[in-house]
Amino acid sequence: MSRLEARQRLLLPVILALLTLAPAVQAQAAECLMVFGHGRNYEPAMAAQNAQWDQVNLRFNRQVVELLNKAARPAHGMVLQVAAIDLARNLGLLLNEAEQRGCAQVLETTVFADAESATFKARLRLYPVLGLKGPRAADAGLSIGQALYTNERGFELSARSLERLRPELLARAMTEEFLAARSQAVLTEGQAAPDRPQ
């Protein structure tokens, strides 16, 4: 046996392993989530309050990302400050990041005060990124579709409630509910799918 033939025999298992791994890597990229956080209570003259909301939303978002990754749901966090009030620019940044990461879904995380209902709310909301999968025209951009899932909790808007707020604990409970709901949705879709010919 020549040296070339021997080398080819040694490389063959490695090549086969890489070919087997490639579809799994592609599937993982397609299933990743962009976890997008953004507060809503910007007050130009209240820098300390703005910073507090930024910290709450950052901690909430980071915990969600950490828990998703631990649950084998690849997730990438992106958090904007409450001062980022240009919605069109925010959307552009989000879609660009989703495209760079190859994430076909966005999970919004937000904690904010709702003055109309006198509550502060924590929310997880899942959206599809339209246009990421499959061919599209050169001038066609990405967009966000209709919400696929929403989990929202409301609490009395008071100084006491805000002091007792623990973003990490709230994120843990809501992320566990999200994962359970998505697992159930996958099972339901699988049961509803028509039988495939063998």
Side-chain angles (χ1 to χ4, degrees):
M1 181 187 300
S2 68
R3 288 186 177 180
L4 178 60
E5 289 174 334
R7 183 174 299 175
Q8 288 176 337
R9 285 195 176 186
L10 289 173
L11 288 175
L12 184 59
V14 177
I15 294 171
L16 290 175
L18 289 174
L19 290 174
T20 303
L21 181 63
V25 172
Q26 292 172 355
Q28 186 183 58
E31 295 169 0
C32 81
L33 287 170
M34 277 303 307
V35 185
F36 175 69
H38 186 209
R40 300 181 173 216
N41 301 105
Y42 176 58
E43 294 291 344
M46 304 182 72
Q49 178 178 291
N50 295 334
Q52 183 178 15
W53 281 117
D54 285 339
Q55 278 300 309
V56 167
N57 277 282
L58 181 61
R59 290 165 59 189
F60 187 67
N61 183 277
R62 282 181 172 173
Q63 185 67 17
V64 172
V65 171
E66 180 180 337
L67 292 169
L68 288 172
N69 281 311
K70 284 183 177 179
R73 288 294 304 270
H76 305 283
M78 177 182 180
V79 183
L80 298 182
Q81 295 181 333
V82 292
I85 58 175
D86 186 335
L87 298 183
R89 182 176 182 275
N90 296 348
L91 179 60
L93 291 171
L94 170 60
L95 291 174
N96 182 66
E97 189 71 14
E99 184 170 26
Q100 293 295 319
R101 299 279 190 178
C103 296
Q105 292 185 324
V106 170
L107 183 64
E108 175 200 23
T109 68
T110 184
V111 181
F112 62 97
D114 183 4
E116 291 185 4
S117 62
T119 61
F120 77 82
K121 297 181 179 181
R123 177 189 297 158
L124 295 183
R125 183 169 283 171
L126 182 68
Y127 299 92
V129 178
L130 304 179
L132 188 64
K133 295 182 178 180
R136 69 176 190 266
D139 59 344
L142 303 180
S143 62
I144 298 293
Q146 295 294 317
L148 303 172
Y149 168 89
T150 299
N151 184 358
E152 182 174 286
R153 294 191 180 189
F155 305 87
E156 179 187 1
L157 185 58
S158 66
R160 178 178 172 81
S161 295
L162 290 174
E163 288 173 0
R164 297 175 62 186
L165 175 63
R166 299 295 182 268
E168 290 83 4
L169 295 179
L170 193 55
R172 179 176 295 277
M174 295 180 71
T175 303
E176 288 174 353
E177 292 168 358
F178 167 74
L179 289 169
R182 297 313 297 167
S183 295
Q184 184 60 42
V186 170
L187 287 174
T188 302
E189 290 167 5
Q191 293 169 355
D195 293 336
R196 295 182 180 179
Q198 299 297 321

